[in-house]
Amino acid sequence: MVKKSKSRKKAKKKAKAVKKAKTSGKKKLEMEFISMKTLEGKNSQEKIDFILSKVKGKRLVVLNGALSTAEETELTKATMEDINDKFSGIQFCSLETKGGMFMRFLELLTGKKFKQGLTLVGDAEILKEIERGKDTFRASAEV
Amino acid sequence: MRRILKRIGGIFSRLFGKKRVIRLGIYGEPNTGKTTLANKISMDWLGEPVGIVSEMPHETRMIQKKEHIEIKVGSKKLIMNLLDMPGLATQVDYRNFMKYKKGPTDSPVKLKDLRVSDLKKIAKDKEITVSGKKTTILNKLKKSVKDSEVPALMDKLSIPKPKKSTKKKKYTKTEAKGIAEEATKAIVEAIKWLDNVDTVLVMMDSTKDPLTQVNIMLIGNLEAKGIPVVLVANKIDLESSNSVAINSAFPQHPMVEISAKEGENLNELYETISRHSG
């Protein structure tokens, strides 16, 4: 009886060790959700440098806002300037949702433009494909 | 504002009989047929091509210009400077270029391409005494003969052009990295040129999904700058072509369906450019 429980304990230990080894072999996909508030006060160049530094750290970046088309172009330009053997570029998708009357009123009041929406940016090595719809997008990543 | 100023300028030009030259930029993603269209237009009206067309993306790695192309559109004349732009992308991976084979090159003949007997002829002409194997002769000759002088020397000494292997080779890693570097610089240049064009043809492959981030970014940018856009749904000669998808993705801009390869519908394209160029 004692022998049996000992062998059971051993088997359990072994199974745990195998499971641990298996899970540690898996690669992680890191996603960073960033509030647009973090980018407030930063100029376009600083925003782009901030996003690119996160992306080059092999993270997918999700912003709760849309970049302007000028910022998107600057992001593309900055990416091209940074491409090398280890970094082949980015995939990104910006989804803009139009604000209602209140947002327009707020824009008029503050003189600021609020681009509501969502932006996903990732290293092209990880973020393999983005399929867009009019108001949706589907992304597939590989780690 | 820019659009209004252009309209006013256009009206004045017409009033005083001055013909405006449109700087027409052909933009789009790689492999959408930009150079094929530029070549077709230039061949039809100037009789000379603009650039090389190939299956490899980013084949165009320089902004290619053809100036003062006069096109007859009905009773009107459309004068334009054509700018064939490198394909826009957000990623350029050098490894992709290693899958493609090199095209035929017309690179000038170098010393190392010549036979020993021809090298000896050059040595005699330059009054250099040489002997031994090809590498020994080459090393001695290289000290006083530059590769750039070789074609002239070949003409002078009636040396025949050496036959090159016709077997196409794939790009090496170093060559592929070089192409990638050129392609990234070309994309930056093409983006900068967005400030120097009057009208833009946004080329799209009608067999593919038009709702890509590059297309959205490009069109959004042109709209913000007030630059007239004409969407060109290319490759309509292919069975899987679906230009309706382009029209429904960007209904705010005029669209012309063409086959740049077959030269189909180009007159309609010229008319649309003329109508929307202010």
Side-chain angles (χ1 to χ4, degrees):
Chain A
M1 195 65 184
V2 181
K3 248 188 184 179
K4 254 192 181 178
S5 66
K6 262 191 182 177
S7 66
R8 260 186 208 165
K9 270 184 187 173
K10 260 190 184 177
K12 264 189 183 177
K13 257 190 183 178
K14 209 176 177 182
K16 256 189 186 178
V18 169
K19 202 178 172 186
K20 206 178 174 186
K22 270 187 185 172
T23 46
S24 62
K26 279 180 188 168
K27 284 179 182 170
K28 282 190 285 182
L29 173 67
E30 273 188 71
M31 291 180 84
E32 197 159 334
F33 295 82
I34 302 167
S35 159
M36 282 304 250
K37 268 192 178 173
T38 321
L39 302 179
E40 253 175 40
K42 285 186 166 71
N43 63 32
S44 286
Q45 193 54 51
E46 286 168 340
K47 269 188 206 174
I48 284 148
D49 289 345
F50 178 80
I51 295 169
L52 270 183
S53 68
K54 301 273 177 196
V55 169
K56 281 164 134 186
K58 305 286 175 198
R59 284 177 207 154
L60 297 188
V61 174
V62 183
L63 300 166
N64 70 334
L67 295 175
S68 69
T69 46
E71 284 168 342
E72 286 177 0
T73 315
E74 283 307 312
L75 179 63
T76 308
K77 244 164 78 177
T79 304
M80 288 300 122
E81 281 158 1
D82 280 5
I83 282 178
N84 55 37
D85 293 3
K86 285 170 191 158
F87 177 61
S88 66
I90 57 165
Q91 287 275 10
F92 74 98
C93 186
S94 225
L95 210 61
E96 195 188 342
T97 50
K98 288 208 169 92
M101 289 288 281
F102 175 71
M103 284 309 284
R104 264 177 261 162
F105 175 70
L106 208 65
E107 282 178 357
L108 269 174
L109 210 68
T110 58
K112 274 185 182 178
K113 282 232 165 191
F114 298 99
K115 287 202 92 184
Q116 287 184 310
L118 188 75
T119 301
L120 172 71
V121 193
D123 188 319
E125 288 278 315
I126 300 168
L127 197 52
K128 290 288 174 191
E129 208 186 326
I130 298 176
E131 214 176 291
R132 276 191 81 122
K134 268 235 149 129
D135 300 309
T136 56
F137 66 83
R138 199 175 63 194
S140 50
E142 256 176 42
V143 273
Chain B
M1 193 63 190
R2 188 183 154 136
R3 200 177 285 177
I4 295 164
L5 284 173
K6 258 189 198 170
R7 283 267 156 91
I8 296 168
I11 293 164
F12 271 95
S13 299
R14 276 192 287 274
L15 270 174
F16 295 107
K18 196 180 141 196
K19 282 201 172 80
R20 197 165 74 90
V21 181
I22 302 162
R23 283 166 300 179
L24 184 76
I26 309 180
Y27 278 87
E29 291 183 288
N31 281 13
T32 48
K34 296 179 290 301
T35 307
T36 310
L37 176 64
N39 277 347
K40 189 76 194 160
I41 297 172
S42 183
M43 281 302 285
D44 283 355
W45 301 95
L46 290 180
E48 52 194 56
V50 175
I52 300 165
V53 174
S54 94
E55 278 182 6
M56 187 178 83
H58 302 287
E59 180 66 73
T60 308
R61 298 188 292 279
M62 273 170 72
I63 296 161
Q64 306 188 103
K65 300 172 206 167
K66 276 282 172 238
E67 291 187 341
H68 212 88
I69 302 180
E70 286 189 29
I71 293 171
K72 277 184 187 170
V73 186
S75 56
K76 283 184 191 170
K77 211 181 246 181
L78 178 69
I79 307 171
M80 59 191 189
N81 290 342
L82 194 65
L83 298 154
D84 176 26
M85 294 292 171
L88 298 181
T90 56
Q91 72 170 120
V92 178
D93 191 342
Y94 76 89
R95 285 165 294 189
N96 287 340
F97 300 118
M98 290 166 74
K99 295 174 197 160
Y100 292 90
K101 285 178 181 170
K102 292 177 210 176
T105 51
D106 279 324
S107 56
V109 180
K110 291 176 182 170
L111 272 177
K112 67 175 171 67
D113 302 326
L114 298 177
R115 291 178 303 181
V116 175
S117 57
D118 297 330
L119 291 173
K120 281 183 177 170
K121 274 184 195 173
I122 293 175
K124 199 179 168 187
D125 183 68
K126 291 275 174 186
E127 294 172 355
I128 306 165
T129 32
V130 289
S131 59
K133 284 183 179 176
K134 189 176 176 178
T135 42
T136 325
I137 300 172
L138 267 175
N139 287 338
K140 212 164 184 185
L141 271 181
K142 271 181 186 172
K143 285 173 190 165
S144 42
V145 182
K146 284 178 188 169
D147 273 331
S148 56
E149 293 173 51
V150 175
L153 281 168
M154 283 171 66
D155 276 350
K156 187 185 164 190
L157 305 169
S158 318
I159 296 170
K161 212 175 173 187
K163 279 179 190 170
K164 281 189 179 177
S165 164
T166 49
K167 211 176 173 185
K168 285 183 181 176
K169 283 180 185 170
K170 282 186 178 176
Y171 285 104
T172 62
K173 196 175 177 179
T174 322
E175 285 168 334
K177 280 183 185 178
I179 295 171
E181 199 183 329
E182 283 175 11
T184 53
K185 281 180 187 164
I187 292 170
V188 174
E189 273 304 296
I191 291 172
K192 284 181 186 167
W193 265 82
L194 280 170
D195 290 321
N196 298 311
V197 287
D198 300 315
T199 303
V200 166
L201 298 185
V202 177
M203 292 289 286
M204 293 186 202
D205 180 342
S206 63
T207 66
K208 290 185 178 159
D209 179 14
L211 268 176
T212 63
Q213 191 58 41
V214 168
N215 284 339
I216 292 166
M217 177 184 75
L218 174 62
I219 291 169
N221 223 298
L222 293 166
E223 284 170 353
K225 289 177 195 286
I227 298 169
V229 173
V230 175
L231 305 176
V232 184
N234 191 25
K235 307 192 187 182
I236 56 159
D237 53 308
L238 300 177
E239 247 181 58
S240 52
S241 161
N242 178 20
S243 40
V244 178
I246 298 175
N247 204 18
S248 50
F250 307 102
Q252 68 275 38
H253 297 292
M255 184 195 77
V256 185
E257 296 170 281
I258 68 154
S259 165
K261 194 177 153 195
E262 307 294 334
E264 212 177 311
N265 262 357
L266 293 191
N267 279 335
E268 197 190 321
L269 178 66
Y270 300 145
E271 277 170 25
T272 316
I273 297 167
S274 168
R275 229 179 302 138
H276 290 88
S277 292

Short mmCIF file of all heavy atoms in Angstrom, two decimals, chain A residues 69-70 72-73 76-77 79-81 83-85 87-94 124-125 131-134, chain B residues 89-95 177 184 187-188 191-192 194 209 211-213 216-217 220-221 224 248-249 251:
data_model
loop_
_atom_site.label_atom_id
_atom_site.label_comp_id
_atom_site.label_asym_id
_atom_site.label_seq_id
_atom_site.Cartn_x
_atom_site.Cartn_y
_atom_site.Cartn_z
N THR A 69 -3.65 60.73 -40.56
CA THR A 69 -2.99 60.21 -41.77
C THR A 69 -1.56 60.74 -41.87
O THR A 69 -0.67 60.05 -42.34
CB THR A 69 -3.77 60.57 -43.05
OG1 THR A 69 -4.14 61.93 -42.99
CG2 THR A 69 -4.96 59.69 -43.24
N ALA A 70 -1.35 61.98 -41.41
CA ALA A 70 0.00 62.55 -41.44
C ALA A 70 0.91 61.76 -40.49
O ALA A 70 2.07 61.47 -40.84
CB ALA A 70 -0.05 64.01 -41.03
N GLU A 72 0.45 58.64 -39.61
CA GLU A 72 0.65 57.31 -40.22
C GLU A 72 1.78 57.36 -41.25
O GLU A 72 2.61 56.47 -41.33
CB GLU A 72 -0.63 56.86 -40.90
CG GLU A 72 -1.72 56.43 -39.95
CD GLU A 72 -3.01 56.06 -40.66
OE1 GLU A 72 -3.07 56.13 -41.90
OE2 GLU A 72 -3.96 55.71 -39.97
N THR A 73 1.78 58.44 -42.05
CA THR A 73 2.82 58.59 -43.07
C THR A 73 4.19 58.75 -42.42
O THR A 73 5.17 58.17 -42.88
CB THR A 73 2.51 59.81 -43.96
OG1 THR A 73 1.13 59.78 -44.29
CG2 THR A 73 3.31 59.81 -45.23
N THR A 76 5.39 55.44 -41.22
CA THR A 76 5.92 54.64 -42.33
C THR A 76 7.33 55.10 -42.69
O THR A 76 8.23 54.29 -42.89
CB THR A 76 4.98 54.75 -43.56
OG1 THR A 76 3.67 54.45 -43.14
CG2 THR A 76 5.39 53.82 -44.67
N LYS A 77 7.49 56.43 -42.76
CA LYS A 77 8.81 56.99 -43.12
C LYS A 77 9.86 56.59 -42.08
O LYS A 77 10.95 56.13 -42.43
CB LYS A 77 8.71 58.53 -43.17
CG LYS A 77 8.96 59.08 -44.55
CD LYS A 77 8.50 60.49 -44.69
CE LYS A 77 9.40 61.53 -44.10
NZ LYS A 77 8.90 62.90 -44.34
N THR A 79 9.78 54.11 -40.05
CA THR A 79 10.01 52.66 -40.13
C THR A 79 11.02 52.34 -41.22
O THR A 79 11.95 51.56 -41.02
CB THR A 79 8.67 51.92 -40.41
OG1 THR A 79 7.75 52.27 -39.39
CG2 THR A 79 8.86 50.42 -40.44
N MET A 80 10.82 52.96 -42.38
CA MET A 80 11.72 52.71 -43.52
C MET A 80 13.16 53.07 -43.16
O MET A 80 14.09 52.40 -43.55
CB MET A 80 11.28 53.53 -44.75
CG MET A 80 10.02 53.03 -45.39
SD MET A 80 10.18 51.32 -45.97
CE MET A 80 8.87 50.53 -45.08
N GLU A 81 13.30 54.17 -42.41
CA GLU A 81 14.65 54.61 -42.04
C GLU A 81 15.31 53.66 -41.04
O GLU A 81 16.53 53.64 -40.91
CB GLU A 81 14.59 56.04 -41.48
CG GLU A 81 14.47 57.06 -42.62
CD GLU A 81 13.89 58.39 -42.19
OE1 GLU A 81 13.58 58.58 -41.01
OE2 GLU A 81 13.74 59.26 -43.08
N ILE A 83 14.81 50.25 -40.95
CA ILE A 83 14.87 48.84 -41.40
C ILE A 83 16.31 48.35 -41.52
O ILE A 83 17.18 49.06 -42.02
CB ILE A 83 14.08 48.66 -42.73
CG1 ILE A 83 12.58 48.62 -42.42
CG2 ILE A 83 14.51 47.40 -43.47
CD1 ILE A 83 11.68 48.49 -43.60
N ASN A 84 16.54 47.18 -40.98
CA ASN A 84 17.86 46.54 -41.09
C ASN A 84 17.68 45.02 -41.13
O ASN A 84 16.56 44.54 -41.32
CB ASN A 84 18.75 46.98 -39.92
CG ASN A 84 18.11 46.71 -38.57
OD1 ASN A 84 17.43 45.70 -38.38
ND2 ASN A 84 18.30 47.61 -37.64
N ASP A 85 18.76 44.27 -40.91
CA ASP A 85 18.69 42.80 -40.99
C ASP A 85 17.70 42.21 -39.99
O ASP A 85 17.07 41.19 -40.25
CB ASP A 85 20.06 42.18 -40.67
CG ASP A 85 21.07 42.51 -41.75
OD1 ASP A 85 20.70 43.25 -42.68
OD2 ASP A 85 22.21 42.04 -41.65
N PHE A 87 15.14 44.01 -38.34
CA PHE A 87 13.83 44.66 -38.32
C PHE A 87 13.38 44.92 -39.76
O PHE A 87 13.99 45.72 -40.47
CB PHE A 87 13.93 45.97 -37.53
CG PHE A 87 12.66 46.78 -37.49
CD1 PHE A 87 11.51 46.25 -36.92
CD2 PHE A 87 12.61 48.06 -38.00
CE1 PHE A 87 10.33 46.99 -36.88
CE2 PHE A 87 11.45 48.82 -37.96
CZ PHE A 87 10.31 48.27 -37.39
N SER A 88 12.33 44.18 -40.18
CA SER A 88 11.92 44.30 -41.59
C SER A 88 10.72 45.21 -41.79
O SER A 88 10.20 45.32 -42.89
CB SER A 88 11.63 42.93 -42.16
OG SER A 88 10.50 42.37 -41.53
N GLY A 89 10.27 45.84 -40.73
CA GLY A 89 9.16 46.78 -40.88
C GLY A 89 8.00 46.47 -39.98
O GLY A 89 8.12 45.65 -39.06
N ILE A 90 6.87 47.12 -40.27
CA ILE A 90 5.70 46.96 -39.40
C ILE A 90 4.45 46.63 -40.20
O ILE A 90 4.43 46.76 -41.42
CB ILE A 90 5.43 48.27 -38.59
CG1 ILE A 90 5.23 49.46 -39.54
CG2 ILE A 90 6.53 48.54 -37.60
CD1 ILE A 90 4.62 50.69 -38.90
N GLN A 91 3.46 46.20 -39.46
CA GLN A 91 2.11 46.10 -40.00
C GLN A 91 1.28 46.94 -39.05
O GLN A 91 1.49 46.89 -37.85
CB GLN A 91 1.60 44.66 -39.93
CG GLN A 91 2.21 43.71 -40.91
CD GLN A 91 1.52 43.73 -42.26
OE1 GLN A 91 0.69 44.60 -42.55
NE2 GLN A 91 1.90 42.80 -43.10
N PHE A 92 0.39 47.73 -39.58
CA PHE A 92 -0.47 48.48 -38.68
C PHE A 92 -1.84 48.72 -39.27
O PHE A 92 -2.04 48.59 -40.48
CB PHE A 92 0.20 49.79 -38.23
CG PHE A 92 0.25 50.87 -39.27
CD1 PHE A 92 -0.71 51.88 -39.27
CD2 PHE A 92 1.26 50.89 -40.21
CE1 PHE A 92 -0.65 52.90 -40.21
CE2 PHE A 92 1.32 51.90 -41.15
CZ PHE A 92 0.37 52.91 -41.15
N CYS A 93 -2.74 49.05 -38.39
CA CYS A 93 -4.10 49.29 -38.82
C CYS A 93 -4.72 50.33 -37.90
O CYS A 93 -4.64 50.21 -36.69
CB CYS A 93 -4.88 47.98 -38.74
SG CYS A 93 -6.51 48.13 -39.41
N SER A 94 -5.26 51.35 -38.49
CA SER A 94 -5.88 52.40 -37.70
C SER A 94 -7.35 52.44 -38.06
O SER A 94 -7.70 52.52 -39.24
CB SER A 94 -5.21 53.73 -38.06
OG SER A 94 -4.93 54.47 -36.92
N ALA A 124 6.44 43.40 -38.30
CA ALA A 124 5.95 42.57 -39.40
C ALA A 124 6.35 41.10 -39.27
O ALA A 124 5.74 40.22 -39.87
CB ALA A 124 6.46 43.13 -40.73
N GLU A 125 7.37 40.82 -38.46
CA GLU A 125 7.79 39.44 -38.22
C GLU A 125 6.75 38.69 -37.39
O GLU A 125 6.65 37.49 -37.47
CB GLU A 125 9.12 39.42 -37.44
CG GLU A 125 10.30 39.84 -38.26
CD GLU A 125 10.86 38.73 -39.13
OE1 GLU A 125 11.00 37.61 -38.60
OE2 GLU A 125 11.12 38.98 -40.31
N GLU A 131 -6.53 41.91 -42.02
CA GLU A 131 -7.61 41.94 -43.00
C GLU A 131 -8.63 42.97 -42.53
O GLU A 131 -9.14 42.87 -41.41
CB GLU A 131 -8.25 40.55 -43.05
CG GLU A 131 -8.75 40.18 -44.42
CD GLU A 131 -9.28 38.77 -44.42
OE1 GLU A 131 -8.46 37.84 -44.26
OE2 GLU A 131 -10.50 38.63 -44.52
N ARG A 132 -8.90 43.94 -43.37
CA ARG A 132 -9.77 45.03 -42.94
C ARG A 132 -11.16 44.95 -43.51
O ARG A 132 -11.36 44.54 -44.65
CB ARG A 132 -9.18 46.36 -43.44
CG ARG A 132 -8.14 46.95 -42.58
CD ARG A 132 -7.86 48.33 -43.05
NE ARG A 132 -8.86 49.24 -42.55
CZ ARG A 132 -8.56 50.32 -41.81
NH1 ARG A 132 -7.32 50.57 -41.51
NH2 ARG A 132 -9.50 51.12 -41.39
N GLY A 133 -12.10 45.36 -42.69
CA GLY A 133 -13.45 45.59 -43.18
C GLY A 133 -13.65 47.09 -43.08
O GLY A 133 -12.69 47.83 -42.84
N LYS A 134 -14.88 47.54 -43.28
CA LYS A 134 -15.11 48.99 -43.19
C LYS A 134 -14.94 49.49 -41.76
O LYS A 134 -14.32 50.51 -41.53
CB LYS A 134 -16.50 49.32 -43.73
CG LYS A 134 -16.42 49.65 -45.23
CD LYS A 134 -17.02 50.98 -45.49
CE LYS A 134 -16.31 51.64 -46.66
NZ LYS A 134 -17.17 52.12 -47.67
N ALA B 89 5.13 50.80 -49.13
CA ALA B 89 4.94 49.63 -48.26
C ALA B 89 5.34 50.00 -46.84
O ALA B 89 6.03 51.01 -46.63
CB ALA B 89 5.78 48.47 -48.76
N THR B 90 4.91 49.19 -45.88
CA THR B 90 5.31 49.43 -44.50
C THR B 90 6.36 48.43 -44.05
O THR B 90 6.84 48.48 -42.93
CB THR B 90 4.10 49.36 -43.53
OG1 THR B 90 3.48 48.09 -43.71
CG2 THR B 90 3.09 50.45 -43.80
N GLN B 91 6.68 47.48 -44.91
CA GLN B 91 7.74 46.53 -44.59
C GLN B 91 8.52 46.15 -45.85
O GLN B 91 7.96 46.07 -46.94
CB GLN B 91 7.17 45.27 -43.93
CG GLN B 91 6.41 44.38 -44.87
CD GLN B 91 6.08 43.04 -44.25
OE1 GLN B 91 4.93 42.69 -44.12
NE2 GLN B 91 7.06 42.26 -43.86
N VAL B 92 9.82 45.98 -45.67
CA VAL B 92 10.69 45.55 -46.77
C VAL B 92 11.64 44.50 -46.18
O VAL B 92 12.50 44.83 -45.37
CB VAL B 92 11.50 46.73 -47.36
CG1 VAL B 92 12.42 46.24 -48.46
CG2 VAL B 92 10.59 47.84 -47.88
N ASP B 93 11.44 43.25 -46.56
CA ASP B 93 12.27 42.17 -46.02
C ASP B 93 13.24 41.71 -47.10
O ASP B 93 12.80 41.23 -48.15
CB ASP B 93 11.35 41.02 -45.57
CG ASP B 93 12.10 39.97 -44.77
OD1 ASP B 93 13.34 39.94 -44.85
OD2 ASP B 93 11.44 39.19 -44.08
N TYR B 94 14.53 41.84 -46.84
CA TYR B 94 15.51 41.50 -47.88
C TYR B 94 15.41 40.04 -48.32
O TYR B 94 15.70 39.70 -49.46
CB TYR B 94 16.94 41.82 -47.40
CG TYR B 94 17.53 40.83 -46.41
CD1 TYR B 94 18.24 39.73 -46.84
CD2 TYR B 94 17.38 41.01 -45.04
CE1 TYR B 94 18.78 38.82 -45.94
CE2 TYR B 94 17.91 40.12 -44.14
CZ TYR B 94 18.60 39.02 -44.58
OH TYR B 94 19.12 38.12 -43.69
N ARG B 95 14.93 39.17 -47.40
CA ARG B 95 14.86 37.74 -47.73
C ARG B 95 13.89 37.46 -48.89
O ARG B 95 14.05 36.50 -49.63
CB ARG B 95 14.43 36.94 -46.50
CG ARG B 95 15.56 36.81 -45.48
CD ARG B 95 15.06 36.35 -44.16
NE ARG B 95 14.19 37.35 -43.54
CZ ARG B 95 13.75 37.28 -42.30
NH1 ARG B 95 14.10 36.27 -41.54
NH2 ARG B 95 12.97 38.21 -41.82
N LYS B 177 20.16 42.48 -49.75
CA LYS B 177 20.22 43.53 -48.72
C LYS B 177 20.37 44.90 -49.37
O LYS B 177 19.80 45.89 -48.92
CB LYS B 177 21.39 43.26 -47.77
CG LYS B 177 21.06 42.22 -46.73
CD LYS B 177 22.21 42.03 -45.78
CE LYS B 177 21.93 40.91 -44.81
NZ LYS B 177 23.03 40.66 -43.91
N THR B 184 13.88 50.95 -49.36
CA THR B 184 13.41 51.74 -48.21
C THR B 184 13.66 53.24 -48.45
O THR B 184 12.81 54.07 -48.15
CB THR B 184 14.11 51.32 -46.90
OG1 THR B 184 15.51 51.37 -47.11
CG2 THR B 184 13.72 49.94 -46.47
N ILE B 187 11.06 54.57 -50.86
CA ILE B 187 9.74 54.80 -50.26
C ILE B 187 9.71 56.15 -49.55
O ILE B 187 8.77 56.93 -49.68
CB ILE B 187 9.36 53.63 -49.31
CG1 ILE B 187 9.13 52.36 -50.13
CG2 ILE B 187 8.11 53.96 -48.48
CD1 ILE B 187 8.97 51.08 -49.33
N VAL B 188 10.79 56.45 -48.81
CA VAL B 188 10.87 57.74 -48.11
C VAL B 188 10.80 58.89 -49.13
O VAL B 188 10.07 59.86 -48.94
CB VAL B 188 12.17 57.83 -47.26
CG1 VAL B 188 12.35 59.20 -46.66
CG2 VAL B 188 12.15 56.77 -46.16
N ILE B 191 7.29 59.35 -50.51
CA ILE B 191 6.41 60.03 -49.54
C ILE B 191 6.70 61.54 -49.57
O ILE B 191 5.78 62.36 -49.58
CB ILE B 191 6.59 59.43 -48.12
CG1 ILE B 191 6.03 58.00 -48.09
CG2 ILE B 191 5.90 60.29 -47.06
CD1 ILE B 191 6.31 57.22 -46.82
N LYS B 192 7.99 61.90 -49.61
CA LYS B 192 8.34 63.33 -49.63
C LYS B 192 7.77 64.01 -50.87
O LYS B 192 7.38 65.17 -50.82
CB LYS B 192 9.87 63.48 -49.61
CG LYS B 192 10.49 63.24 -48.25
CD LYS B 192 11.98 63.44 -48.32
CE LYS B 192 12.65 63.05 -47.00
NZ LYS B 192 14.10 62.94 -47.14
N LEU B 194 5.04 63.65 -52.25
CA LEU B 194 3.60 63.91 -52.19
C LEU B 194 3.30 65.41 -52.16
O LEU B 194 2.22 65.85 -52.51
CB LEU B 194 2.99 63.24 -50.95
CG LEU B 194 2.70 61.74 -51.07
CD1 LEU B 194 2.33 61.17 -49.73
CD2 LEU B 194 1.58 61.48 -52.07
N ASP B 209 -7.58 42.75 -52.55
CA ASP B 209 -8.39 43.55 -51.63
C ASP B 209 -7.85 44.99 -51.59
O ASP B 209 -6.68 45.20 -51.29
CB ASP B 209 -8.30 42.90 -50.23
CG ASP B 209 -9.08 43.67 -49.18
OD1 ASP B 209 -9.89 44.53 -49.57
OD2 ASP B 209 -8.88 43.40 -47.98
N LEU B 211 -8.76 47.42 -49.55
CA LEU B 211 -8.76 48.04 -48.21
C LEU B 211 -7.49 47.71 -47.43
O LEU B 211 -7.52 47.01 -46.41
CB LEU B 211 -9.99 47.60 -47.42
CG LEU B 211 -11.22 48.50 -47.53
CD1 LEU B 211 -12.38 47.89 -46.79
CD2 LEU B 211 -10.95 49.91 -47.04
N THR B 212 -6.36 48.19 -47.92
CA THR B 212 -5.10 47.97 -47.21
C THR B 212 -4.72 49.26 -46.50
O THR B 212 -5.16 50.36 -46.89
CB THR B 212 -3.96 47.61 -48.19
OG1 THR B 212 -3.77 48.72 -49.06
CG2 THR B 212 -4.29 46.38 -49.00
N GLN B 213 -3.89 49.13 -45.48
CA GLN B 213 -3.50 50.32 -44.72
C GLN B 213 -2.75 51.31 -45.60
O GLN B 213 -2.92 52.51 -45.46
CB GLN B 213 -2.66 49.91 -43.51
CG GLN B 213 -2.43 51.03 -42.51
CD GLN B 213 -3.73 51.61 -41.97
OE1 GLN B 213 -4.67 50.88 -41.69
NE2 GLN B 213 -3.79 52.92 -41.83
N ILE B 216 -5.30 53.24 -47.68
CA ILE B 216 -6.08 54.14 -46.82
C ILE B 216 -5.22 55.33 -46.41
O ILE B 216 -5.65 56.48 -46.46
CB ILE B 216 -6.62 53.37 -45.58
CG1 ILE B 216 -7.66 52.35 -46.04
CG2 ILE B 216 -7.22 54.32 -44.54
CD1 ILE B 216 -8.02 51.31 -45.01
N MET B 217 -3.97 55.05 -46.03
CA MET B 217 -3.04 56.11 -45.61
C MET B 217 -2.75 57.06 -46.78
O MET B 217 -2.80 58.27 -46.61
CB MET B 217 -1.75 55.46 -45.13
CG MET B 217 -0.66 56.41 -44.72
SD MET B 217 0.83 55.49 -44.29
CE MET B 217 1.45 55.01 -45.88
N GLY B 220 -5.94 59.08 -47.69
CA GLY B 220 -6.21 60.02 -46.60
C GLY B 220 -5.26 61.20 -46.63
O GLY B 220 -5.65 62.36 -46.44
N ASN B 221 -4.00 60.91 -46.92
CA ASN B 221 -2.98 61.95 -47.00
C ASN B 221 -3.25 62.92 -48.15
O ASN B 221 -3.12 64.13 -48.00
CB ASN B 221 -1.63 61.26 -47.24
CG ASN B 221 -0.56 61.87 -46.41
OD1 ASN B 221 -0.27 63.05 -46.56
ND2 ASN B 221 0.01 61.08 -45.52
N ALA B 224 -6.13 65.14 -47.34
CA ALA B 224 -5.75 66.19 -46.39
C ALA B 224 -4.97 67.31 -47.09
O ALA B 224 -5.07 68.47 -46.71
CB ALA B 224 -4.91 65.58 -45.28
N SER B 248 -16.38 50.60 -54.08
CA SER B 248 -17.14 50.69 -52.82
C SER B 248 -16.23 51.00 -51.63
O SER B 248 -16.71 51.52 -50.62
CB SER B 248 -17.97 49.43 -52.58
OG SER B 248 -17.18 48.31 -52.73
N ALA B 249 -14.93 50.73 -51.76
CA ALA B 249 -14.02 51.07 -50.65
C ALA B 249 -13.74 52.58 -50.62
O ALA B 249 -13.61 53.17 -49.55
CB ALA B 249 -12.72 50.30 -50.80
N PRO B 251 -15.59 55.39 -52.44
CA PRO B 251 -16.58 55.93 -53.39
C PRO B 251 -16.44 57.43 -53.63
O PRO B 251 -17.03 57.97 -54.56
CB PRO B 251 -17.91 55.62 -52.71
CG PRO B 251 -17.58 55.47 -51.26
CD PRO B 251 -16.18 54.99 -51.17
#
